[in-house]
Amino acid sequence: MESNSKIVIVGAGLAGLTAAIHLSKLGHSITIIEKNNFPKHKVCGEYISNEVLPYLDWLDINPNILNPTKIDSVIFSTTKGKTIQTKLPLGGFGVSRYALDFHLYQKAIAQQCKVIPETAVDIHFAYDAFTIHLSNNQILNADIVIGAFGKRSNIDQKLQRSFIQKKSPWLAIKGHYKGDFPNNLVGLHNFKGGYCGVSKVENDIVNICYLADYETFKQYKNIEEYQEKVIYQNPLLKSIFESFTPIFEKPLTISQICFDQKEPVDHHVLMIGDSAGLIHPLCGNGMAMAIRSAKIAAELIDDFSKNSIKSRKELEKKYTQTWNANFKNRLQTGRLLGTILQNQNLSEWLIRIFIKFPTLFSEIIKRTHGKNIAITK
Ligand SMILES: Cc1cc2nc3c(=O)[nH]c(=O)nc-3n(C[C@H](O)[C@H](O)[C@H](O)COP(=O)(O)OP(=O)(O)OC[C@H]3O[C@@H](n4cnc5c(N)ncnc54)[C@H](O)[C@@H]3O)c2cc1C
């Protein structure tokens, strides 16, 4: 690969913007394609593990200027409202995606990254190069394409990725609220067929975001009825929803959320963030994984540009190996936890075990999170 090679990133979420900031810091010229405008609210629990802080610092990104809340404890409740609370081994911070993604976007622009406000409609690879087709009929050429288009995109359809062929039973709903909630706490509350995260972001705002199974959800007329009949069965959630005041006119919703395995490299595109794999949101680690996977891809692409990685084949192999070494176990633990919590009896049983052996609860949290991201160059 030539040092002045063209690198195109599809998607300007956390993963895509982080990769752009990293690569442009190393002197690469970057084009990003993003279909949405900034700033924008996103369905997300908005709790970020502190493991990303050393790396953000290396990127000259200081999340403290966004006024995040510092979170060091988690409270977990069963469907019946039985609770256990513990310290989070590394802790984290709460900041809205509206503020964080916009901040990274501004940083990428300041580092001369070019953002094209269009939808990528197709990506082709032939003769060791890519062509990317955009919705305005523009065609871009690239030597490297980073796929950062999130959990589910039209590009997944185009590339015929296997997970997209199946229907997924999950939907998610998120809103911002005003209400009395401790700054340092993230709540993880179960209800029949789902779980709900509650934590504070900047400006004393509380984020409430839940994942629900579609089969149960569709039995009710609307979100309000579903909340009252299903979610309020957990007394803690009932008291939160009844006493908090919504800030959004309507909550945001997304559907077809899929936790199946994906390939970190597909059609020669290096996938980062949710495009490579989505961890169960109850682990609160998707954003840290998006940021970490961007770092892994950016470092290897830089090595490729300097010829210390000799071929595309070697680049793809190294990326796949490093991605699996970093994330495979976390995703598996997340899937297992998700399955247990889907079963009311199993989840009551699990919390009894946690109450008896609180260190086990901390151990599970550690297994779904990484250590502080080490800075190597
Ligand atoms: C209900 C729920 C709660 C969650 N809570 C948490 C939490 O509390 N903590 C945590 O760490 N993680 C959480 N996550 C996970 C976290 O939100 C994701 O892991 C994170 O957003 C991944 O970032 P990303 O950059 O990969 O994707 P995204 O942020 O989704 O970015 C993808 C971008 O690609 C763009 N795009 C897509 N297709 C195209 C196209 N064809 N052309 C151009 N642009 C395109 C989109 O517009 C978008 O901007 C949660 C997830 C869910 C579903």
Side-chain angles (χ1 to χ4, degrees):
M1 179 179 157
E2 307 287 318
S3 56
N4 61 351
S5 297
K6 286 191 196 140
I7 302 172
V8 169
I9 301 175
V10 181
L14 276 188
L17 289 167
T18 305
I21 293 166
H22 188 142
L23 283 162
S24 54
K25 179 179 163 115
L26 299 180
H28 297 276
S29 77
I30 301 296
T31 302
I32 315 174
I33 304 157
E34 171 55 52
K35 63 179 182 177
N36 281 320
N37 296 326
F38 288 92
K40 193 177 184 303
H41 285 289
K42 274 190 178 168
V43 175
C44 181
E46 304 184 323
Y47 161 84
I48 311 188
S49 162
N50 275 340
E51 68 197 71
V52 300
L53 289 177
Y55 176 50
L56 292 187
D57 187 48
W58 181 83
L59 291 173
D60 304 315
I61 295 164
N62 177 6
N64 283 332
I65 63 170
L66 303 174
N67 252 330
T69 49
K70 306 251 185 292
I71 297 173
D72 62 14
S73 301
V74 57
I75 183 166
F76 180 89
S77 74
T78 61
T79 339
K80 292 180 183 156
K82 195 178 268 183
T83 60
I84 176 171
Q85 185 165 338
T86 189
K87 284 266 171 209
L88 287 159
L90 267 180
F93 55 99
V95 65
S96 70
R97 296 296 297 272
Y98 188 89
L100 180 64
D101 290 27
F102 188 47
H103 183 61
L104 298 189
Y105 168 74
Q106 287 172 314
K107 171 92 178 145
I109 297 285
Q111 289 186 193
Q112 313 302 324
C113 297
K114 181 178 172 194
V115 180
I116 303 180
E118 287 294 335
T119 302
V121 291
D122 208 354
I123 302 173
H124 286 287
F125 180 81
Y127 304 109
D128 206 30
F130 292 91
T131 45
I132 303 113
H133 299 248
L134 308 188
S135 46
N136 63 352
N137 293 326
Q138 198 182 342
I139 297 177
L140 304 179
N141 299 311
D143 302 290
I144 294 282
V145 173
I146 298 179
F149 34 78
K151 49 186 106 33
R152 197 175 189 91
S153 163
N154 58 320
I155 297 292
D156 293 311
Q157 295 278 7
K158 274 284 171 194
L159 299 182
Q160 298 183 321
R161 302 184 78 195
S162 54
F163 79 91
I164 203 102
Q165 317 300 334
K166 290 189 248 159
K167 282 218 158 194
S168 172
W170 295 103
L171 72 131
I173 297 178
K174 168 243 178 96
H176 280 174
Y177 294 79
K178 280 285 177 192
D180 195 17
F181 194 80
N183 280 345
N184 68 327
L185 192 63
V186 59
L188 202 52
H189 303 295
N190 279 273
F191 56 86
K192 188 170 174 276
Y195 38 86
C196 177
V198 185
S199 57
K200 264 193 176 164
V201 293
E202 71 275 10
N203 301 333
D204 219 22
I205 290 168
V206 184
N207 177 325
I208 304 185
C209 182
Y210 59 85
L211 195 74
D213 84 291
Y214 181 69
E215 279 308 307
T216 314
F217 185 82
K218 73 178 185 193
Q219 295 165 22
Y220 299 91
K221 269 203 313 276
N222 51 33
I223 292 178
E224 289 72 30
E225 194 190 40
Y226 174 73
Q227 285 182 183
E228 276 171 31
K229 298 267 167 64
V230 180
I231 295 186
Y232 286 17
Q233 298 285 318
N234 181 326
L236 292 163
L237 286 173
K238 181 172 193 287
S239 102
I240 287 172
F241 273 106
E242 284 185 339
S243 59
F244 284 25
T245 313
I247 295 174
F248 293 171
E249 213 171 281
K250 271 199 320 206
L252 303 179
T253 57
I254 49 169
S255 60
Q256 297 281 348
I257 302 163
C258 166
F259 303 104
D260 286 0
Q261 208 173 328
K262 301 179 183 175
E263 296 302 322
V265 179
D266 212 327
H267 291 68
H268 303 280
V269 176
L270 302 188
M271 303 292 178
I272 59 174
D274 288 354
S275 298
L278 175 62
I279 190 163
H280 265 271
L282 75 110
C283 303
N285 202 244
M287 289 194 270
M289 285 176 55
I291 291 172
R292 192 185 285 259
S293 62
K295 174 177 184 277
I296 297 169
E299 284 177 349
L300 292 175
I301 290 167
D302 188 55
D303 288 347
F304 187 37
S305 76
K306 292 178 177 141
N307 250 341
S308 46
I309 289 179
K310 301 279 181 233
S311 65
R312 185 182 299 278
K313 199 170 166 197
E314 189 187 339
L315 170 70
E316 292 177 4
K317 191 171 164 205
K318 280 207 162 142
Y319 181 66
T320 304
Q321 281 170 344
T322 319
W323 193 93
N324 281 329
N326 274 274
F327 304 123
K328 214 171 176 178
N329 288 344
R330 281 189 225 190
L331 286 167
Q332 273 168 359
T333 311
R335 269 186 216 117
L336 180 68
L337 264 184
T339 312
I340 293 177
L341 293 179
Q342 271 318 283
N343 180 310
Q344 199 168 336
N345 292 337
L346 274 180
S347 107
E348 299 285 340
W349 167 82
L350 186 69
I351 204 155
R352 277 203 297 273
I353 303 254
F354 284 160
I355 290 167
K356 257 196 171 151
F357 306 102
T359 48
L360 192 65
F361 188 31
S362 302
E363 192 49 40
I364 299 276
I365 297 169
K366 277 191 202 145
R367 275 174 185 270
T368 54
H369 287 68
K371 300 198 170 74
N372 274 331
I373 301 181
I375 303 305
T376 45
K377 52 162 105 174

